[in-house]
Amino acid sequence: MSRLPAPENPVVDAQPVVDRPSDEFKDKDSSEQTEARPAARKGPMFISSIHKNEPYVTRKELWSYYLYYNGDNGVGPNGYSMTLFQSLAFAAGFDPAAGPGSSCTADGSSGQCVLPWGGGTKSVTSIVLIANGVSFAIMTMIFTTIGSAADYGTFGRWLLLFMTVICWGAQFASMALTEPSRWGAAMALYMIGFISYGATLVFYAALFPRLARNTPHARQLRDKFEAGETSKEEYEREESLEKNRISNISTAHSNIGYIFTLCLNLSILLPLASNSKVNNYTIVLTNVYWVITGIWWFIFQQPRPGPPLPKGERYVTIGWKQIWAACKQYKQLPYTFIYLFSFFLLADGLNTTGTLVSICQNDRFSFSFLQNTYLGLSQAITSTISTFGFWYIQKHWKIPTKTMFVVTNVVTIMIPLWGMIGIWTTKLGFHNKWEFWAYNVVFGLFQAPYYAFSQTMMAELTPPGFDNMFFGLFGLSNRASSMIGPNVIQAIIDSSGNNWMGFPFLFALCVAASMVIWFAVDIPKGRTDAVAWAEGIRAAKYAEDGLVTKE
């Protein structure tokens, strides 16, 4: 009988595998285990989107996949747009010590800057954090509502296209943001672009496991394994390396695109430095590059449709039902859910840390697109080098994905620790220009491979054929997690008037989440549980449909 992935002729004369909790999380109460057995059949049926006859990944398809990420590098929606929004808000604000009508940049100013907000005032930093918090909340609604719906039919294909076009439109609309009085519009366009950008990353990442399963090398490995020509351990090790290969190459392409986009932008930023609209032109040029590199994926993507939507279900409701049903499977998928929950907190801490450092950086460099471009280049170049470097190290010494993740994670959680130093002194702790150069280099060396390895860990803990559902949860953990951090930090900053007071909370959050992942997530056992769960679901489905064929 076929062992992985979906058996063509499954035998269901025994208890479905999905009903067996993980060995280390097994409930000793047999009555509770009995109650857990119908889990696969109550509520919305889990339907796998994996098929044994899926087309092989072609060279054009794989390169178009890489090129999409090459353009979707975040320079515009995740970088320039926030700088433009913060710049306009700062120009429109006033010094609370001097009163309305004063300038935040005047000689002798207090260093604080506020805007009218809800009948009172709020600091520009807090407003930027609120924009991020609301954006992440909306991402949460998107991922939970329609994330797993992308597993059905061709909905996922069109969903990525829709989110991509929305992001492109928001970036092009930035041409209208030319005056400080339009800071509200800048906030709205930044949020629309940031939300849709985050969604593109999640739905793009959800394509990755399916591509990795269908490369010629992966299919050859699977055929050898199913023919008994290779051991399970060797198969899983080689398949993991294949996933890491695609993940690391796609991450490297994002960084290469980051470098090329920033260099391209210098062709505008340098000769048009005195032009009042140079920042707007730069965002548009960045977006044009993404359109040129991203459109090919929608042309060369091979059709791998999922099953039809179950009768009586709707795209806008099935996501919530399946997520709730999936969450009740925590006993069968303990390591998957421990990782998702811990990564939710870790991503919240690291994403908010990045936002807070960017706010400090923009302030220190006077919102200069040119300086941010130079800083971005230092990050992009080191990111590209480190991604290939870490991949070579892992491939050469056959190092497990989790070990690589831990190495990169240790360094990244030191960033908020460094920011904490700035509470007590202005000599260190993101107060000096050289520190932001160092931050971008360190971020590039360790954060880029960190994202690649975290994605691969999720792929290994995802039940085969349920990619969009679990990567929707991963997107909730990664891109939509920052609902706690920004709101807590903006409250701390509002009460203290000090941006650096937010770093202690972020450091504690990152350390606590990292410790759980390091010591409580077992990737090999989690992968075994995920495969068993998926096979059990498919076996139960085939049995209900009368498709059971015994060997």
Side-chain angles (χ1 to χ4, degrees):
M1 184 174 69
S2 172
R3 291 174 283 178
L4 183 77
E8 287 189 48
N9 301 312
V11 179
V12 206
D13 56 346
Q15 174 186 337
V17 185
V18 68
D19 299 327
R20 299 201 306 262
S22 175
D23 293 339
E24 292 194 3
F25 289 80
K26 190 181 297 180
D27 196 326
K28 294 182 181 179
D29 189 343
S30 59
S31 63
E32 290 186 19
Q33 290 187 35
T34 302
E35 291 177 2
R37 287 176 185 170
R41 302 173 196 177
K42 287 185 178 180
M45 169 63 70
F46 293 111
I47 299 180
S48 169
S49 62
I50 190 172
H51 302 285
K52 291 209 71 173
N53 60 347
E54 289 180 342
Y56 279 74
V57 175
T58 65
R59 187 176 182 84
K60 284 184 179 180
E61 181 182 27
L62 189 59
W63 273 96
S64 66
Y65 179 77
Y66 293 150
L67 281 174
Y68 180 91
Y69 206 18
N70 186 289
D72 192 13
N73 50 56
V75 171
N78 198 37
Y80 287 148
S81 290
M82 189 180 106
T83 301
L84 182 60
F85 160 41
Q86 190 181 348
S87 173
L88 293 178
F90 200 81
F94 62 89
D95 186 343
S102 62
S103 172
C104 296
T105 58
D107 293 337
S109 62
S110 66
Q112 299 184 52
C113 191
V114 299
L115 281 165
W117 186 271
T121 61
K122 191 172 286 291
S123 71
V124 171
T125 297
S126 293
I127 291 173
V128 174
L129 288 168
I130 287 172
N132 274 269
V134 173
S135 297
F136 284 122
I138 295 173
M139 285 188 214
T140 300
M141 292 297 296
I142 292 173
F143 299 150
T144 51
T145 302
I146 59 177
S148 60
D151 282 320
Y152 296 98
T154 59
F155 185 65
R157 180 183 189 135
W158 296 109
L159 186 59
L160 178 60
L161 176 61
F162 176 77
M163 290 298 176
T164 302
V165 171
I166 291 294
C167 192
W168 288 347
Q171 294 294 283
F172 282 130
S174 296
M175 272 304 301
L177 305 176
T178 55
E179 300 175 5
S181 61
R182 297 177 182 174
W183 71 267
M187 179 177 180
L189 286 175
Y190 164 67
M191 291 174 64
I192 293 171
F194 187 56
I195 291 166
S196 52
Y197 164 70
T200 64
L201 293 181
V202 170
F203 296 124
Y204 171 87
L207 298 166
F208 152 65
R210 191 174 300 183
L211 285 178
R213 282 197 302 268
N214 289 290
T215 63
H217 181 59
R219 294 283 282 269
Q220 185 181 29
L221 287 172
R222 189 187 311 159
D223 291 342
K224 288 183 178 180
F225 170 66
E226 293 180 342
E229 298 176 8
T230 185
S231 67
K232 177 183 177 183
E233 292 74 18
E234 183 180 355
Y235 168 74
E236 289 183 345
R237 182 175 62 252
E238 291 298 323
E239 187 193 44
S240 177
L241 287 173
E242 180 69 358
K243 289 177 180 176
N244 274 294
R245 181 181 72 87
I246 294 178
S247 180
N248 279 284
I249 292 176
S250 64
T251 301
H253 267 280
S254 178
N255 293 322
I256 292 170
Y258 200 88
I259 295 171
F260 189 84
T261 302
L262 293 173
C263 290
L264 185 65
N265 290 338
L266 290 176
S267 66
I268 288 182
L269 289 169
L270 291 174
L272 300 180
S274 59
N275 190 305
S276 61
K277 294 183 180 180
V278 63
N279 293 344
N280 308 81
Y281 295 147
T282 302
I283 293 177
V284 169
L285 180 61
T286 299
N287 201 45
V288 167
Y289 178 77
W290 182 11
V291 172
I292 293 173
T293 58
I295 195 68
W296 302 107
W297 169 248
F298 303 105
I299 297 173
F300 293 119
Q301 180 184 7
Q302 293 270 65
R304 297 184 184 89
L309 194 69
K311 188 176 181 180
E313 296 293 346
R314 297 180 179 179
Y315 282 112
V316 295
T317 58
I318 192 162
W320 287 95
K321 292 179 180 179
Q322 285 203 330
I323 287 173
W324 174 246
C327 288
K328 293 193 291 185
Q329 303 298 311
Y330 70 93
K331 289 184 179 179
Q332 284 74 41
L333 302 169
Y335 299 108
T336 301
F337 282 96
I338 290 174
Y339 179 66
L340 283 169
F341 176 74
S342 302
F343 197 78
F344 178 93
L345 298 178
L346 177 60
D348 190 358
L350 291 178
N351 289 342
T352 308
T353 297
T355 300
L356 188 54
V357 173
S358 294
I359 289 172
C360 296
Q361 177 178 297
N362 286 333
D363 190 27
R364 189 70 183 84
F365 287 93
S366 303
F367 314 104
S368 169
F369 269 45
L370 183 59
Q371 288 298 322
N372 280 329
T373 297
Y374 290 140
L375 289 166
L377 277 170
S378 68
Q379 182 185 132
I381 292 170
T382 51
S383 293
T384 305
I385 294 171
S386 68
T387 300
F388 284 120
F390 274 95
W391 162 237
Y392 174 79
I393 292 170
Q394 183 187 27
K395 182 180 179 181
H396 184 75
W397 281 283
K398 308 289 185 181
I399 301 174
T401 302
K402 183 181 175 181
T403 303
M404 303 298 292
F405 172 85
V406 170
V407 170
T408 57
N409 185 212
V410 167
V411 177
T412 55
I413 63 176
M414 293 297 106
I415 294 173
L417 177 62
W418 186 266
M420 284 174 57
I421 301 173
I423 298 174
W424 302 288
T425 178
T426 57
K427 294 181 179 180
L428 295 173
F430 298 122
H431 287 286
N432 307 288
K433 289 185 177 181
W434 69 265
E435 290 179 284
F436 293 104
W437 283 99
Y439 160 75
N440 279 277
V441 170
V442 170
F443 189 97
L445 288 174
F446 294 95
Q447 197 76 351
Y450 154 82
Y451 280 124
F453 293 128
S454 67
Q455 177 176 287
T456 304
M457 282 178 64
M458 187 65 235
E460 295 195 14
L461 294 170
T462 295
F466 299 86
D467 309 316
N468 277 288
M469 180 169 69
F470 281 90
F471 265 84
L473 290 172
F474 182 61
L476 179 64
S477 296
N478 187 12
R479 296 295 166 184
S481 63
S482 298
M483 297 180 292
I484 302 172
N487 291 305
V488 172
I489 298 308
Q490 69 89 15
I492 293 173
I493 292 173
D494 256 2
S495 62
S496 65
N498 186 342
N499 290 352
W500 284 261
M501 291 301 294
F503 285 113
F505 171 79
L506 296 172
F507 176 66
L509 188 64
C510 291
V511 170
S514 296
M515 296 290 282
V516 175
I517 295 176
W518 297 350
F519 300 109
V521 177
D522 189 315
I523 298 297
K525 289 183 179 179
R527 180 169 51 238
T528 300
D529 290 343
V531 171
W533 186 86
E535 289 188 345
I537 289 291
R538 286 190 286 271
K541 174 61 179 173
Y542 292 162
E544 285 190 357
D545 290 347
L547 299 177
V548 182
T549 303
K550 295 188 178 183
E551 293 180 326

